[in-house]
Amino acid sequence: MNAQNTNAQHPSPNPETNRRPAPVTVIGLGLMGSALAGALLDRGHPTTVWNRTPQRAKPLADRGARVAATPRDAVAASGLVLACVLDHDALRTVLDPVAEAGGLAGKSLVNLTSGAPEQAVELAAWAASHGADYLDGGIMTTPPGVGDPRMMFLYSGSEAVFETHRPALAALGDPLFLGAEPGLASLYDSALLGLMWATFTGWLHGTALVTSEGTTATDFTRVALRWLNGAVSGFLTTYAPQVDAGHHPGDDATIDVQIAAIDHLIHAARARGIDNSLPRLLKSTMERAAAAGHGSDSYASVIEVLRDGATRR
């Protein structure tokens, strides 16, 4: 299964969708784990929960959740086990004794704990060695967004687990299956967070610039969102095939043109006392692309110097 195959991102609906909601176990009741369990309860799933600190389970118990005394009891209660704990080490600490006792055999383990792609691959192999099917997940929202069908939940690993338990996964948000490689969901998660932080910082830099002249952040954001949702998203759609083809025709705006344009931003920010670290970093990256022979290419060609950075580590 390839993440670039868009047909694979939304597998066909499961025929069990109209049956009674299946039992689910949730391991870990921090803010996110509690939100996951709450969304499952809202959709009628018999939900068993376990947390190292039992007091955190009380609000869910008041809503009808069954509170397990031990991780082994929690895993035994459901065919589908969702885990959302601090990190992978914490998850192994909880589940190793269960696995060694044979408690994971035949279970579907969906791991929603944040981690690196390599950890997902390792955990998938560990789960398989104990007879469990493994699906890794990335939650692309904060706890208040859990249960909102507009929010993405990314999954990779066992397609059988995804298909079988899609109704339960859909209770949490919009489930997208990326492929059979267990680390894909975590890799996408990291990439999308990087995009988010870069966007936030670019917006904040622009906001600092225009509010220095008395404009409000709210007024600027209305214009910024129109720009992002229109022209900028259009550029991404145009540039993606260029990146895939390794060919970056500069028929919209070349790197050389972008370098000249960013000087205006740097000048405007400097004149108003706004920190220029971000624009200078962007200009430096463009200049590296131009020096590598991409001055007459589109901005998409910057990816070539970003990839070169990986080979120089």
Side-chain angles (χ1 to χ4, degrees), residues 99 104-107 109 120-134:
L104 284 182
K107 301 293 183 179
L109 175 60
V121 172
E122 179 183 345
L123 198 58
W126 171 84
S129 73
H130 292 286
D133 288 331
Y134 181 83

Side-chain angles (χ1 to χ4, degrees), residues 5 22 26 35 41 52 67 72 100 107 126 137 165 195 237 244 264 269 298 311:
N5 181 351
V26 178
L41 289 168
R52 189 177 300 279
V67 181
R72 186 171 182 178
E100 294 300 328
K107 301 293 183 179
W126 171 84
H165 297 290
L195 174 62
T237 302
D244 290 337
H264 304 315
S298 77
T311 63

Side-chain angles (χ1 to χ4, degrees), residues 211-227:
T211 55
S212 70
E213 298 289 324
T215 300
T216 68
T218 300
D219 286 342
F220 173 64
T221 300
R222 278 195 290 268
V223 177
L225 287 175
R226 181 173 174 180
W227 168 244

Side-chain angles (χ1 to χ4, degrees), residues 7-217:
N7 292 329
Q9 293 183 355
H10 291 278
S12 58
N14 192 289
E16 297 187 1
T17 300
N18 295 323
R19 298 183 181 179
R20 292 183 61 187
V24 185
T25 286
V26 178
I27 301 288
L29 297 177
L31 290 176
M32 185 60 76
S34 294
L36 298 173
L40 290 164
L41 289 168
D42 288 342
R43 294 285 286 271
H45 289 271
T47 304
T48 298
V49 298
W50 179 86
N51 192 71
R52 189 177 300 279
T53 307
Q55 290 85 347
R56 288 190 176 178
K58 187 178 184 308
L60 294 164
D62 292 343
R63 295 172 58 185
R66 173 181 175 265
V67 181
T70 66
R72 186 171 182 178
D73 290 342
V75 170
S78 313
L80 174 61
V81 178
L82 302 183
C84 186
V85 294
L86 178 63
D87 54 30
H88 280 231
D89 288 341
L91 181 59
R92 288 290 300 271
T93 298
V94 171
L95 291 184
D96 270 341
V98 179
E100 294 300 328
L104 284 182
K107 301 293 183 179
S108 295
L109 175 60
V110 177
N111 180 31
L112 295 172
T113 302
S114 296
E118 293 74 19
Q119 290 176 307
V121 172
E122 179 183 345
L123 198 58
W126 171 84
S129 73
H130 292 286
D133 288 331
Y134 181 83
L135 187 67
D136 202 72
I139 304 173
M140 306 312 300
T141 184
T142 54
V146 173
D148 186 334
R150 298 169 298 177
M151 299 297 115
M152 291 190 302
F153 278 63
L154 309 179
Y155 297 98
S156 60
S158 171
E159 187 171 6
V161 172
F162 181 87
E163 291 283 12
T164 300
H165 297 290
R166 182 171 182 138
L169 300 179
L172 310 178
D174 182 20
L176 279 77
F177 185 74
L178 300 175
E181 297 282 344
L184 274 175
S186 180
L187 191 63
Y188 266 63
D189 181 29
S190 296
L192 290 171
L193 288 173
L195 174 62
M196 179 188 74
W197 291 320
T199 303
F200 282 174
T201 308
W203 167 72
L204 289 168
H205 185 272
T207 299
L209 188 62
V210 299
T211 55
S212 70
E213 298 289 324
T215 300
T216 68

